[in-house]
Amino acid sequence: MPKPSTRFVCQSCGAVSARWVGRCESCGEWNTLVEEIVAPRPAAKLAAGRSGASARALSFVPLTGESAPAPRTETGIAELDRVLGGGLVPAAAILVGGDPGIGKSTLLLQAAASVARAGRRVLYVTGEESVEQVRLRALRLGLTEAPVELAAAIDLGEIAPALEKSGAALVVIDSIQTMWLEAVESAPGTVNQVRASGFELTRLAKSTGFSLVLVGHMTKDGAIAGPRVLEHMVDAVLTFEGDRGHQFRILRAVKNRFGATDEIGVFEMTDRGLAEVANPSAIFLAERRGNVAGSAVFAGIEGTRPVLLEVQALLAPGGGGAPRRAVVGWDGGRLAMLLAVLEARAGLTLAGADVYLNIAGGLRIAEPAADLAVAAAVVSAATSVPTAADMVYFGEIGLSGEVRQVAQAEARLKEAGKLGFTAATLPRRLARGARPLSAPEGLSLTGIGHVSDLVGSFRKPDGRSR
Ligand code: TYD
Ligand code: MG
């Protein structure tokens, strides 16, 4: 029998190395390599299987055929159901990632209770907390009478048989980093254990038919470390984000075999758990103060839903040397590009100023359509002229300073109208396109073709920009 060998596995990205190195050559993280034992593999059974009694011929089928849409179990939490693409799918595995303390256990206990109250069997396995701790949370959330069945366990040898014959509709494993398979010779939480227990649990979900939710902790750099090795294995990956200073939490689908991936769910952490936020725009704009230079409202689209957000820019005199660019909630590279375009194509002088950009409310935006709002906030900060308080902005900006069209203009305008905005600045080709835009009544449209028009609109009445 070959003797067990060891290898080194990066706990951040799962890369394997034959020797120990201080810095992972694959993801560049420091001190993430951990030695793991590779169990000797039994000789390949492939050839034997082919002639064995259990051999089954593989049959191929045409691409067309009857297949019913996946049946769904609604969790009863609308924001969660929407991100899932309409509810839980039986036999599907979902990974829910997020920073420790962000509210994953809270959300899943609420979802579990809601599904159980609808008369389905729900099992909640906690490997991190004791039964008492989960009961305390349930008490705080007012869920004690929901018929969720709870167990504190980490050993899959004990958990798997219980799940197999349970007939449960939903199984929550909180968290996958605490699960332990005896056959794998490494500690819970290591890539090997996470991968093996994740595989075992998803296999069980497929064969038994329950919806499986795996909770996974995520590291600072935004990637689900450890559990990241599960991403290809599960049917959906949801991340729960937000910072603890804000009460908002955003649930986002980053992978979904049964729905769209750009959908978000918005929640608010209250003292009685997570409350759904049905109208995020109103909340994100709630603390906006009118008539302040450096602020602009972006009419964005998150998934299928329009969301209005405040973009804030602050310019401070640079201390010589390379100016600072600090960004929260947007892409730093994109800001650098926009600043260069504003300087080169519209003659805005930043004179080496430090630029700080923030998306208020803690949301992260990725849409290029935010360019125009960011530019407006920066120009407003640079000229000390506030944007009109009732104006929203959207449009993409190209390298030559042209303002380009973006999708779903009408949905953006409609949301702006709903929230009482009366003006919108948007790409000229949308405002004066061949097909007239249907804008809500009372909303005036200003079409902009080039960033120099934007900078021009911030000039003070005396004609000087500062
Ligand atoms: P938790 O769900 O335990 O986070 P995770 O499972 O992602 O680690 O939530 C932890 C935080 O949420 C904790 O700091 C307290 C806060 N919280 C509330 O504000 N209200 C509540 O009703 C609950 C249950 C928790
Ligand atoms: Mg937890």
Side-chain angles (χ1 to χ4, degrees):
M1 188 167 140
K3 96 178 197 329
S5 61
T6 65
R7 59 180 190 170
F8 296 87
V9 181
C10 172
Q11 302 301 303
S12 173
C13 71
V16 178
S17 164
R19 61 194 168 85
W20 190 87
V21 282
R23 184 169 189 224
C24 172
E25 281 155 9
S26 169
C27 68
E29 288 288 315
W30 287 92
N31 288 328
T32 53
L33 264 66
V34 167
E35 183 172 16
E36 290 182 356
I37 295 166
V38 190
R41 232 177 247 281
K45 291 242 179 73
L46 256 185
R50 226 177 280 150
S51 57
S54 66
R56 231 175 4 149
L58 177 66
S59 60
F60 291 85
V61 296
L63 289 176
T64 60
E66 291 290 307
S67 50
R72 303 274 184 172
T73 308
E74 290 195 356
T75 63
I77 300 179
E79 295 290 299
L80 173 61
D81 285 337
R82 197 186 36 250
V83 175
L84 287 169
L88 294 161
V89 176
I94 299 154
L95 173 64
V96 178
D99 283 322
I102 204 73
K104 300 180 294 297
S105 302
T106 307
L107 175 68
L108 292 171
L109 191 61
Q110 287 180 264
S114 171
V115 173
R117 275 178 179 154
R120 291 165 186 273
R121 185 154 191 214
V122 178
L123 307 180
Y124 194 108
V125 180
T126 169
E128 295 197 343
E129 295 164 302
S130 64
V131 165
E132 286 67 36
Q133 283 170 311
V134 179
R135 281 185 175 154
L136 268 176
R137 179 181 292 120
L139 187 67
R140 183 169 174 184
L141 299 172
L143 301 175
T144 40
E145 85 320 333
V148 174
E149 293 166 64
L150 181 64
I154 63 164
D155 183 358
L156 274 179
E158 179 189 6
I159 297 167
L163 301 185
E164 201 154 19
K165 47 183 186 331
S166 64
L170 170 63
V171 173
V172 179
I173 303 287
D174 189 359
S175 69
I176 188 64
Q177 273 118 325
T178 55
M179 292 297 123
W180 180 72
L181 257 178
E182 197 181 0
V184 179
E185 295 195 36
S186 41
T190 56
V191 169
N192 259 1
Q193 274 292 1
V194 166
R195 187 177 5 226
S197 14
F199 181 76
E200 182 62 26
L201 285 162
T202 44
R203 194 191 56 75
L204 212 59
K206 296 272 174 288
S207 63
T208 317
F210 56 79
S211 301
L212 172 69
V213 176
L214 302 173
V215 174
H217 292 295
M218 194 162 118
T219 49
K220 56 200 178 324
D221 58 3
I224 305 176
R228 200 202 271 176
V229 297
L230 299 179
E231 279 186 13
H232 68 277
M233 209 185 282
V234 296
D235 298 295
V237 179
L238 312 185
T239 60
F240 205 36
E241 8 177 300
D243 50 50
R244 259 169 287 168
H246 285 108
Q247 68 274 42
F248 308 117
R249 299 287 181 269
I250 314 286
L251 187 68
R252 203 184 276 279
V254 292
K255 162 179 174 177
N256 194 350
R257 286 190 184 139
F258 304 107
T261 52
D262 48 5
E263 207 60 82
I264 63 164
V266 183
F267 296 88
E268 192 180 354
M269 184 58 100
T270 69
D271 54 2
R272 290 192 46 125
L274 289 155
E276 298 179 56
V277 176
N279 186 356
S281 301
I283 301 253
F284 287 131
L285 295 179
E287 286 168 51
R288 190 169 66 105
R289 315 235 314 261
N291 232 20
V292 180
S295 152
V297 176
F298 167 48
I301 300 278
E302 288 287 344
T304 53
R305 188 160 56 168
V307 179
L308 303 190
L309 296 161
E310 183 189 359
V311 179
Q312 302 172 326
L314 177 69
L315 267 56
R324 280 185 66 141
R325 270 81 175 103
V327 190
V328 180
W330 206 49
D331 180 44
R334 192 124 192 132
L335 174 65
M337 184 204 87
L338 259 188
L339 296 177
V341 169
L342 284 171
E343 288 198 298
R345 308 291 184 199
L348 186 77
T349 37
L350 297 168
D354 293 339
V355 179
Y356 300 89
L357 190 84
N358 177 41
I359 308 299
L363 199 73
R364 249 204 92 74
I365 43 182
E367 263 198 296
D371 291 354
L372 198 57
V374 173
V378 169
V379 177
S380 164
T383 56
S384 309
V385 179
T387 61
D390 55 0
M391 172 84 82
V392 298
Y393 293 84
F394 62 90
E396 181 179 347
I397 295 176
L399 279 181
S400 61
E402 80 280 15
V403 179
R404 311 170 72 114
Q405 302 195 53
V406 296
Q408 292 182 273
E410 283 166 357
R412 300 174 200 265
L413 295 174
K414 197 167 153 208
E415 178 78 358
K418 216 164 74 187
L419 279 124
F421 286 83
T422 57
T425 301
L426 68 167
R428 177 176 292 153
R429 298 195 47 186
L430 281 174
R432 305 204 196 133
R435 193 178 64 89
L437 273 184
S438 87
E441 209 157 308
L443 193 84
S444 72
L445 306 184
T446 308
I448 281 210
H450 193 271
V451 279
S452 53
D453 303 345
L454 179 76
V455 175
S457 72
F458 280 87
R459 268 179 231 291
K460 285 192 171 148
D462 63 1
R464 288 181 300 123
S465 67
R466 203 197 252 277

